[in-house]
């Protein structure tokens, strides 16, 4: 295994923690001993437990956008890992709801930093041929962590009336945080960040250490790729963004930010959150209670990792945009069926119709995971040039979590008020997203991060050099 693949895989443990912690609360709050110990938190207290996590994550994205450039991707991740360890300890040792809320907010901050910095680092150490797979490890690990939390919750349901029932599942998230805390100091800095800082010799040594494999290439090929990175970065120094506002007013940067924000916010706007919420209502209407709810939730959570793993392994073959379009089209079709079936059978006692709704809920997870879930992370990271990548990804992920906060607050209220009619909002978003993917998203597959700049009208130094050499050859031939 090449070192770039090793480090990208190890960093996925932080992504796994995000997925695990995201799914953890839905199972923990159903544990009888949790309800008893924390005196059955409801209303504002329960809302605080849920929303403080996303709020902390949004702030963590802002931290990544600033410090990712200042101190580098490596140490940004390491600080996040230490904070994650502290937050996990606070949650595990919570003696009241308020301590639990603080612990989740602290952990959320760390998770937000992982959400931006891990795919950022993965994209910068990968070669163009397998960059999609390397960064899709982030999404796959999130899905796996979510599924793992569901199965852990189901398993600990049977522990009995003991605080072990909720403290051990909460405490398990300390393991990936500890792994990153110990391992990341030994991880090399991003070579592109080193080049951006003018540390060229160190950047070459890191690149060679991460990517060189004599069975795959000769060294001068890798050196040529590195020189292209170096030349492009030096050229970009003259137009480097120094003020945040330039991300919004400079057309090539603003277009990138728009695309990254759309694909990140789209992970929420496709309707996954409302689907997850609605499935519990369907289970109750079918008379499913107790451990059966946890079992079906665990089964639902396991569908995503399998589909995401398939997509991650093939995204460099399928291409980013075709995969997005196919996935989004499937999501739209499935959501229309869910809406129609919910309207007809949602409040009836027709078990066949209600089971059909559950089948389409599972199909939604497959449709999202088989494409969209493996593309959003690599795409939103790779479209930015090195000098603004951390800030661009930080803003896009911040908007992602803000969207999550808004939807988590209003969806239960709107669903209670107008029921299945709320789904038309997400059908609308799905249509808009499909139209955007078909019309304004350029294909980035197989291109180096430097070559992608050319898709947005930026000068690509390596291509200019090739054109100059070709012009010289033509001139000599004419002579």
């Amino acid at each position: 295994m090449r070192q770039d693949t090793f480090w990208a895989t190890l960093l996925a443990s932080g992504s796994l923690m995000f997925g695990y912690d995201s799914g953890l609360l839905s199972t923990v709050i159903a544990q009888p001993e949790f309800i008893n110990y924390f005196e059955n938190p409801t209303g504002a207290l329960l809302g605080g437990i849920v929303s403080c996590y996303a709020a902390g994550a949004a702030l963590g994205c802002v931290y990544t956008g600033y410090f990712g450039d200042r101190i580098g991707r490596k140490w940004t991740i390491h600080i996040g890992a230490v904070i994650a360890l502290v937050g996990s300890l606070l949650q595990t040792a919570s003696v009241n709801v308020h301590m639990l809320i603080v612990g989740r907010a602290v952990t959320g901050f760390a998770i937000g930093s992982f959400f931006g910095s891990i795919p950022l680092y993965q994209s910068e150490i990968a070669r163009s041929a397998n960059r999609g797979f390397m960064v899709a490890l982030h999404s796959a690990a999130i899905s796996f962590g979510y599924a793992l939390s569901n199965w852990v919750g189901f398993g600990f349901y049977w522990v009995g009336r003991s605080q072990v029932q909720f403290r051990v599942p909460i405490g398990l998230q300390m393991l990936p945080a500890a792994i990153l805390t110990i391992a990341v100091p030994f991880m090399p800095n991003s070579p592109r960040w080193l080049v951006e800082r003018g540390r060229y010799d160190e950047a070459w040594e890191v690149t060679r250490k991460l990517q060189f494999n004599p069975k795959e290439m000769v060294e001068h090929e890798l050196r040529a790729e590195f020189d292209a990175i170096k030349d492009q970065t030096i050229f970009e120094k003259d137009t480097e963004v120094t003020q945040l506002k330039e991300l919004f007013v400079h057309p090539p940067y603003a277009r990138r930010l728009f695309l990254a924000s759309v694909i990140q916010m789209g992970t929420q706007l496709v309707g996954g959150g409302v689907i997850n919420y609605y499935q519990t209502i369907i289970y109750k209407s079918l008379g499913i209670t107790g451990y059966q709810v946890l079992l079906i939730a665990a089964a639902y959570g396991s569908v995503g990792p399998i589909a995401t793993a398939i997509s991650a392994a093939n995204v460099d073959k399928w291409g980013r945009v075709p995969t997005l379009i196919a996935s989004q089209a499937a999501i739209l079709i499935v959501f229309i069926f869910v809406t129609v079936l919910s309207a007809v059978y949602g409040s009836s006692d027709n078990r066949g119709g209600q089971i059909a709704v559950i089948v389409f809920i599972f199909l939604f997870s497959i449709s999202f995971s088989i494409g969209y879930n493996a593309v959003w992370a690599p795409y939103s990271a790779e479209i930015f040039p090195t000098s603004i990548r951390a800030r661009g990804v930080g803003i896009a992920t911040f908007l992602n979590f803000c969207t999550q906060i808004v939807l988590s607050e209003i969806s239960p209220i709107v669903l209670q008020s107008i029921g299945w009619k709320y789904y038309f909002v997400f059908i609308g978003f799905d249509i808009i997203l499909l139209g955007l993917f078909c019309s304004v998203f350029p294909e980035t597959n197989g291109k180096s991060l430097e070559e992608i700049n050319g898709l947005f009208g930026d000068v690509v130094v390596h291509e200019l050099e090739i054109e100059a050499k070709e012009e010289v050859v033509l001139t000599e031939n004419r002579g």
Side-chain angles (χ1 to χ4, degrees):
M1 179 186 290
R2 285 203 321 245
Q3 285 206 28
D4 57 348
T5 306
F6 169 79
W7 286 113
T9 305
L10 185 139
L11 285 179
S13 62
S15 311
L16 183 146
M17 181 180 174
F18 168 63
Y20 182 86
D21 207 40
S22 297
L24 180 67
L25 192 63
S26 62
T27 56
V28 165
I29 61 175
Q31 303 289 13
E33 191 59 27
F34 177 90
I35 295 171
N36 178 61
Y37 185 85
F38 290 106
E39 299 178 347
N40 192 22
T42 57
L45 273 181
L46 186 58
I49 296 172
V50 175
S51 61
C52 69
Y53 177 77
L59 293 176
C61 295
V62 176
Y63 153 79
T64 295
Y66 181 79
F67 284 97
D69 285 330
R70 294 282 179 170
I71 63 176
R73 289 57 161 140
K74 169 184 174 178
W75 294 113
T76 300
I77 295 171
H78 186 250
I79 292 173
V82 174
I83 295 174
L85 191 58
V86 173
S88 300
L89 283 167
L90 286 172
Q91 288 187 73
T92 306
S94 293
V95 295
N96 53 51
V97 171
H98 299 94
M99 184 175 176
L100 181 64
I101 289 175
V102 172
R104 283 191 61 77
V106 172
T107 305
F109 181 92
I111 293 302
S113 74
F114 290 161
F115 203 74
S117 57
I118 288 176
L120 181 67
Y121 182 89
Q122 289 169 325
S123 70
E124 292 185 344
I125 66 172
R127 303 193 73 205
S128 56
N130 67 338
R131 187 176 59 247
F133 167 74
M134 295 268 280
V135 187
L137 289 171
H138 172 67
S139 304
I142 291 174
S143 296
F144 180 76
Y146 184 86
L148 180 63
S149 69
N150 285 322
W151 285 111
V152 168
F154 174 71
F156 275 84
Y157 178 86
W158 306 99
V159 168
R161 303 307 292 267
S162 165
Q163 292 183 30
V164 170
Q165 192 177 67
F166 67 89
R167 292 202 188 274
V168 172
I170 292 175
L172 286 175
Q173 64 188 306
M174 288 189 287
L175 181 59
I179 290 173
L180 289 183
T181 299
I182 295 169
V184 168
F186 299 97
M187 182 177 76
N189 277 300
S190 161
R192 283 180 167 85
W193 180 79
L194 290 171
V195 169
E196 224 271 330
R197 293 289 163 171
R199 294 155 63 175
Y200 305 124
D201 292 339
E202 184 181 352
W204 163 242
E205 288 303 317
V206 169
T207 300
R208 190 180 185 283
K209 184 177 180 181
L210 287 172
Q211 298 183 355
F212 181 64
N213 185 341
K215 296 180 180 179
E216 298 178 358
M217 70 187 83
V218 291
E219 187 171 329
H220 72 81
E221 292 177 346
L222 183 62
R223 181 71 204 199
E225 293 179 10
F226 173 78
D227 287 339
I229 295 171
K230 176 183 173 183
D231 293 343
Q232 183 72 29
T233 304
I234 292 173
F235 175 80
E236 290 174 355
K237 278 285 188 180
D238 295 331
T239 57
E240 184 177 3
V241 172
T242 56
Q243 295 183 347
L244 186 63
K245 68 176 183 180
E246 294 182 52
L247 271 169
F248 300 91
V249 299
H250 184 52
Y253 295 163
R255 183 187 173 197
R256 288 174 168 99
L257 185 60
F258 171 75
L259 296 179
S261 299
V262 165
I263 199 170
Q264 289 259 8
M265 294 169 67
T267 61
Q268 308 296 329
L269 296 175
V270 293
V274 72
I275 286 287
N276 291 338
Y277 178 82
Y278 184 69
Q279 65 174 324
T280 60
I281 299 176
I282 290 293
Y283 301 158
K284 290 178 181 178
S285 69
L286 288 171
I288 298 171
T289 58
Y291 78 91
Q292 293 176 324
V293 173
L294 295 176
L295 179 60
I296 295 178
Y300 172 80
S302 299
V303 170
I306 296 171
T308 302
I310 294 172
S311 183
N314 292 280
V315 68
D316 290 308
K317 300 175 185 177
W318 297 344
R320 315 292 197 256
V321 176
T323 304
L324 271 177
I325 292 173
S327 178
Q328 186 60 50
I331 289 169
L332 174 60
I333 293 170
V334 169
F335 218 102
I336 290 173
F337 272 97
V338 169
T339 302
V340 172
L341 289 168
S342 299
V344 177
Y345 299 110
S347 58
S348 75
D349 57 359
N350 187 309
R351 291 182 65 84
Q354 292 176 328
I355 290 172
V357 176
I358 293 178
V359 169
F360 275 93
I361 286 173
F362 275 68
L363 287 176
F364 176 88
S365 178
I366 294 172
S367 300
F368 176 76
S369 301
I370 198 69
Y372 202 131
N373 199 35
V375 175
W376 67 263
Y379 197 92
S380 59
E382 66 192 5
I383 61 176
F384 291 104
T386 303
S387 61
I388 63 168
R389 187 168 294 119
R391 279 169 282 183
V393 172
I395 292 171
T397 52
F398 172 78
L399 293 174
N400 184 329
F401 281 106
C402 287
T403 305
Q404 179 181 334
I405 293 170
V406 171
L407 291 178
S408 66
E409 289 295 323
I410 68 172
S411 290
I413 299 171
V414 178
L415 274 170
Q416 188 174 9
S417 175
I418 63 175
W420 60 269
K421 298 181 183 68
Y422 182 43
Y423 301 155
F424 284 115
V425 173
F426 297 97
I427 290 175
F429 281 126
D430 286 333
I431 292 172
I432 292 170
L433 287 168
L434 181 59
L436 289 172
F437 294 154
C438 291
S439 59
V440 300
F441 275 65
E443 180 56 68
T444 59
N445 191 47
K447 295 182 179 294
S448 69
L449 294 180
E450 289 65 41
E451 290 170 339
I452 290 173
N453 291 340
L455 299 175
F456 296 90
D458 294 339
V459 173
V460 181
V461 176
H462 178 61
E463 293 179 355
L464 288 179
E465 292 174 349
I466 293 175
E467 291 174 3
K469 289 178 182 178
E470 290 176 348
E471 184 65 31
V472 170
V473 171
L474 288 174
T475 302
E476 290 176 349
N477 290 338
R478 293 194 194 103

